[in-house]
Amino acid sequence: MTTNFQMPVFAPLPVAFTRGEGAWLWDKEGRKYLDALCGVAVCGLGHAHPEISKAICDQAGKLLHTSNWYEIPLQAELSERLCRKAGMENVFFCNSGAEANEAAIKLARLYGHQKKILNPAIIVTEGSFHGRTLATLSATGNRKIQAGFEPLVTGFSRVPYNDLDAIRTVAEHNKDVVAIMVEPITGEGGISIPDTGYLRGLRDICDERGWLLILDEIQTGMCRTGKWFAFEHEGIKPDVLTLAKGLGNGVPIGACLARGVAAGVFKPGNHGSTFSGNPLVCRVGLTVIDILEKGKYDKRAAELGKRMRSGLQKALQDVSGVKEIRGQGLMLAVELDRPCKEILTLALERGLLLNVTADTVVRLLPPLVLSDAEADQIVSGVSECVRLFLDASGAQAAIA
Ligand SMILES: *Cc1c(COP(=O)(O)O)cnc(C)c1O
């Protein structure tokens, strides 16, 4: 008889947490873990942040949901705060990252149709991740995520990441392109950081051609990379910006923001969602922005990122099997020369939570509220796990 009633799409590690505080989690047995993943860049302000808990409790005692058939003042307030912060003009709220990208994709297609392009195409990149809904998995540059779900949604044209010439080539052959959609730094794809000038180059191409630049900042946004939004590193602005993860610190909220021509595309009836932008999630979004601003967490993420990167470099640069240590702000990667899933268990046994993505990349997305000591503890824990793993797998390779 089956004892697990969950569809087996996830393969969780054998641990369950019951309580959290800041960068720490406690399991059922009372064991303590340092969280260098924070729910995949979601709990940027750590677990059980007192101001956020208070906002949730207070709002839950007042009003959770009324639907978008009525005005929602907290949604209007969060819209303004987010737009001013990001330099955008308007916003559609939703409940996840994939939905934010769905909104962006629909917006781009409608923009195309408004320009009399009947089969609008969106340029997307290899190694990207945009979500698991049909349109967003079709946009995603990873066959593993698409396989078995054909027919895929059409209208995406794929190019290598960090390659502006490839986009110019597509532009010459495909007159139906209406937009480019990219992550400023890939998240699930292994923390690939494009060359300086890539985003600016994308901006220029979009300006020359009248295309929309859609930046998926679902992972990079909300101070994660050391700026409020990763596009600030290159002093450009997208036409469409998608956010989710860190915006709600654990309550499900996504956002698709637009500017310029893109801000005028959606009209009443073009898009919607029942839960979207309810008073609870918007209250939390506002609280998250307040805390990030007050604590100058963009600067803090930059500072902590530098500290951790140089710490990892010191500890691991001469270790054979370590290919590269890279990152921006608190989006950090240690790339190995071999698949390294086993590191997850090694780390768990040592009370450290991290992630492995793209098979060979140890990915760290710690909360922005780390103390220097906690940051150093993550660095030494990760370094120890990487060494242990490489020693063990090296020994295995020698036997085989
Ligand atoms: C996580 C993520 C998504 C998908 O978000 P969900 O909330 O899981 O739907 C999309 N794009 C990027 C860059 C992400 O990191």
Side-chain angles (χ1 to χ4, degrees):
M1 200 184 82
T2 178
T3 53
N4 187 342
F5 295 89
Q6 295 159 290
M7 289 194 187
V9 293
F10 301 110
L13 291 164
V15 63
F17 303 108
T18 50
R19 181 167 75 83
E21 193 183 315
W24 297 89
L25 286 167
W26 282 263
D27 71 11
K28 289 185 295 192
E29 285 75 38
R31 208 175 151 220
K32 194 176 165 188
Y33 299 78
L34 184 50
D35 189 359
L37 183 60
C38 67
V40 197
V42 169
C43 302
L45 294 171
H47 301 285
H49 191 291
E51 275 177 68
I52 295 172
S53 302
K54 188 164 159 281
I56 292 172
C57 293
D58 182 64
Q59 191 57 43
K62 285 182 180 153
L63 193 61
L64 291 181
H65 176 87
T66 56
S67 92
N68 285 288
W69 287 102
Y70 310 100
E71 289 178 5
I72 304 172
L74 284 164
Q75 188 186 118
E77 198 183 327
L78 179 59
S79 302
E80 180 172 352
R81 285 288 292 284
L82 259 190
C83 284
R84 291 196 188 285
K85 209 70 226 175
M88 304 298 282
E89 288 168 35
N90 57 19
V91 50
F92 170 80
F93 288 109
C94 51
N95 318 293
S96 67
E99 282 174 81
N101 285 337
E102 284 277 344
I105 292 164
K106 282 182 68 177
L107 190 154
R109 284 189 169 195
L110 195 55
Y111 169 72
H113 282 268
Q114 288 169 0
K115 293 207 299 184
K116 306 277 184 283
I117 296 173
L118 300 183
N119 280 301
I122 300 172
I123 295 178
V124 290
T125 65
E126 288 164 11
S128 62
F129 180 78
H130 298 297
R132 299 276 194 162
T133 61
L134 268 178
T136 58
L137 76 81
S138 302
T140 288
N142 178 347
R143 267 307 291 164
K144 274 196 217 155
I145 284 170
Q146 299 172 336
F149 300 108
E150 296 81 3
L152 300 182
V153 173
T154 56
F156 296 105
S157 173
R158 196 166 307 282
V159 297
Y161 192 58
N162 193 24
D163 185 343
L164 294 170
D165 287 336
I167 294 173
R168 294 201 185 91
T169 305
V170 172
E172 273 158 39
H173 298 102
N174 189 341
K175 299 296 163 214
D176 288 336
V177 174
V178 294
I180 304 176
M181 178 158 113
V182 300
E183 298 164 80
I185 297 175
T186 72
E188 309 308 298
I191 320 272
S192 296
I193 305 172
D195 297 336
T196 308
Y198 181 59
L199 293 186
R200 166 133 309 275
L202 294 177
R203 181 67 276 171
D204 290 344
I205 294 172
C206 286
D207 288 343
E208 284 158 27
R209 310 252 165 198
W211 297 349
L212 302 179
L213 177 58
I214 304 171
L215 291 184
D216 176 348
E217 294 231 28
I218 288 163
Q219 193 157 146
T220 54
M222 307 309 290
C223 301
R224 172 63 46 192
T225 70
K227 299 267 186 200
W228 270 81
F229 308 100
F231 62 75
E232 294 171 46
H233 291 291
E234 294 218 357
I236 60 135
K237 272 189 203 168
D239 302 292
V240 177
L241 170 69
T242 56
L243 300 173
K245 297 198 163 92
L247 176 57
N249 211 65
V251 303
I253 179 170
C256 174
L257 296 88
R259 184 179 70 87
V261 282
V265 172
F266 278 150
K267 299 286 187 298
N270 283 149
H271 199 43
S273 161
T274 300
F275 291 141
S276 80
N278 76 32
L280 179 77
V281 296
C282 290
R283 174 81 183 266
V284 174
L286 283 163
T287 310
V288 166
I289 294 175
D290 280 343
I291 301 169
L292 287 172
E293 274 182 349
K294 266 188 289 173
K296 297 194 171 61
Y297 279 107
D298 50 340
K299 308 248 163 16
R300 180 64 183 151
E303 185 182 290
L304 280 165
K306 263 195 207 126
R307 182 185 184 97
M308 292 180 71
R309 217 161 53 239
S310 70
L312 288 167
Q313 251 139 15
K314 238 179 251 149
L316 290 173
Q317 64 184 357
D318 296 326
V319 175
S320 103
V322 175
K323 269 178 75 176
E324 192 183 27
I325 290 151
R326 58 175 177 266
Q328 187 146 39
L330 287 177
M331 229 175 145
L332 297 160
V334 179
E335 184 174 354
L336 305 188
D337 65 356
R338 65 200 81 172
C340 59
K341 270 267 178 290
E342 293 86 346
I343 286 187
L344 295 180
T345 309
L346 287 174
L348 190 69
E349 287 164 2
R350 282 159 187 78
L352 179 63
L353 307 176
L354 43 72
N355 180 247
V356 170
T357 192
D359 294 333
T360 58
V361 178
V362 180
R363 175 172 58 159
L364 306 176
L365 297 163
L368 319 178
V369 296
L370 288 182
S371 66
D372 287 354
E374 287 164 342
D376 295 347
Q377 196 175 333
I378 292 172
V379 167
S380 63
V382 170
S383 306
E384 186 193 344
C385 292
V386 166
R387 282 170 186 277
L388 282 169
F389 165 76
L390 288 171
D391 284 350
S393 72
Q396 255 167 20
I399 294 164

